[in-house]
Amino acid sequence: MKVLIFGTGFAGEGHADAFRGAGAEIVGMVGRTPHVVRTIAKKLDIPYHGTDWQSALEACQPDIVSIATPGGAHYEAIKQAIEFGCHVFCDKPMTTDGETAVELHELAQRKDVKTAYAASFRYTSGVLHARRLVAEGAIGEPVEVECISHFNLERNIPFGWSHRKEDGGGRLNNNFTHTLSIVSSVIGDRILSILGDVRDDLGKAPRVEGVHNFMERRKFIPEDLSDPTLQWGESNVEWSYTVMARMASPFARDPVSVLFKHGGLLPRFHEDHIVFYGKQGAIYLKGHYGSGALYLWDGKGAWQEMARPPDILAAVPDVDGETEQCWHYLASEFVKDIRGETVEPYPTFREGSQYQQIIDLIRRNDQWHDVSGLN
């Protein structure tokens, strides 16, 4: 399997490593800036590098393309790759809106290419363990799920793609996609109804040159934020959200109620967590993506920490970083599927297009009833 990477930052390097771990060959890399893509390609020992995506498709003749840029650059690159006949592995968000995401999903179906959508934190060992326990009936019928996280992000991270809706920014695109995927993987992926509230409690961020790797942006926070020559960019996306959903589950007769609560700029008092409640028990996962300790409530008033099963620990790739582990897991499943091997269902452009449509609905912020006149 020959893979062409689109993107030179943290995700680009991570995707390249993940596909190599899956036994694929990285034949090329495309980036926006000539000297950057040249440097990264040399560092990763990738033979082809360039800044023109169509030329790279023609020169490299890839079986798979891996889309690792910010979301605003996804649409045209994915469309060209599908037309070229490539299978597509795409990081979240799939695109910047539901309409373009649906278009790409339908195009992939018509062209009969496989797709993978990397809302991939469903592959942490804790989530895999929770999924098994729910399927085994450890909590009885699921009735409720709670996903709570507060990141306390630095407000003065330099202005960039994460601040702009048109570039794929916002916490819904970059946090909610993962938690929705996690819940779907554990209780079932049929989303029945949804409503939500979003809030931009940032407003603006300093404009700073030189930021390339998303993971290193904190190093570029200006020392003097009162400098009158400092330029500022205006945020146009949400930094906090509250979303409620009803989801059907094969393990429950009635819809499961789900709460997704995230404050990107707000401090946490206790640990972030995900909890799956059932009629006979509950599963508590520490961490915003459920990668910490797992506790099972036995229905008799006691919580018990549960060790990860050995086979689940063995299935998680032995690489540094939870993000990287999950990319490796999904890339491996994707390559196996393309080769005709049997794999468990994984997130595809079906989920990606659904999630973008759902995010569009939540961002309308119009699901309110005026009760100010009630006596």
Side-chain angles (χ1 to χ4, degrees), residues 37-59:
V37 67
R38 182 171 59 249
T39 300
I40 300 300
K42 181 178 180 181
K43 170 187 172 182
L44 300 180
D45 196 24
I46 297 174
Y48 178 95
H49 62 81
T51 58
D52 186 274
W53 181 242
Q54 186 65 41
S55 296
L57 289 170
E58 295 168 359

Side-chain angles (χ1 to χ4, degrees), residues 72 100 146 219 231 238 353 355:
T100 52
E146 175 183 280
K219 298 178 182 178
Q231 300 295 310
E238 73 288 333
S353 61
Y355 290 12

Side-chain angles (χ1 to χ4, degrees), residues 133-143 249 251-252 277-282:
L133 288 170
V134 170
E136 291 175 346
I139 64 171
E141 288 189 45
V143 295
S249 173
F251 311 114
Y277 296 98
K279 290 184 176 180
Q280 279 81 50

Side-chain angles (χ1 to χ4, degrees), residues 97-99 101-102 352-362:
D97 58 74
E99 182 178 356
V102 169
S353 61
Q354 286 181 345
Y355 290 12
Q356 293 306 139
Q357 292 175 83
I358 288 170
I359 288 170
D360 286 350
L361 291 171
I362 295 168

Side-chain angles (χ1 to χ4, degrees), residues 88-92 94 105 114-123 128 131 177-178 180-182 184-185 189 326-327 329-331 333-334 337 343-355:
V88 183
F89 182 100
C90 176
D91 221 305
K92 49 78 194 149
M94 185 172 158
H105 173 46
K114 293 185 181 294
T115 60
Y117 172 64
S120 49
F121 274 103
R122 60 166 57 194
Y123 296 121
L128 293 172
R131 179 186 177 191
T177 47
H178 281 304
L180 180 55
S181 182
I182 287 169
S184 296
S185 74
D189 64 359
C326 294
W327 280 334
Y329 196 113
L330 180 57
E333 295 293 283
F334 191 45
D337 187 28
V343 298
E344 290 287 323
Y346 55 84
T348 69
F349 279 11
R350 170 184 172 269
E351 286 78 10
S353 61
Q354 286 181 345
Y355 290 12

Side-chain angles (χ1 to χ4, degrees), residues 300-367:
K300 301 176 182 178
W303 289 95
Q304 179 181 355
E305 183 172 356
M306 306 290 289
R308 304 281 198 265
D311 64 311
I312 287 179
L313 289 175
V316 175
D318 185 19
V319 296
D320 291 335
E322 291 172 356
T323 302
E324 293 88 339
Q325 289 173 353
C326 294
W327 280 334
H328 274 252
Y329 196 113
L330 180 57
S332 177
E333 295 293 283
F334 191 45
V335 169
K336 288 176 184 176
D337 187 28
I338 294 169
R339 288 175 172 159
E341 299 179 36
T342 300
V343 298
E344 290 287 323
Y346 55 84
T348 69
F349 279 11
R350 170 184 172 269
E351 286 78 10
S353 61
Q354 286 181 345
Y355 290 12
Q356 293 306 139
Q357 292 175 83
I358 288 170
I359 288 170
D360 286 350
L361 291 171
I362 295 168
R363 282 177 167 170
R364 289 180 186 176
N365 233 25
D366 61 359
Q367 296 146 333

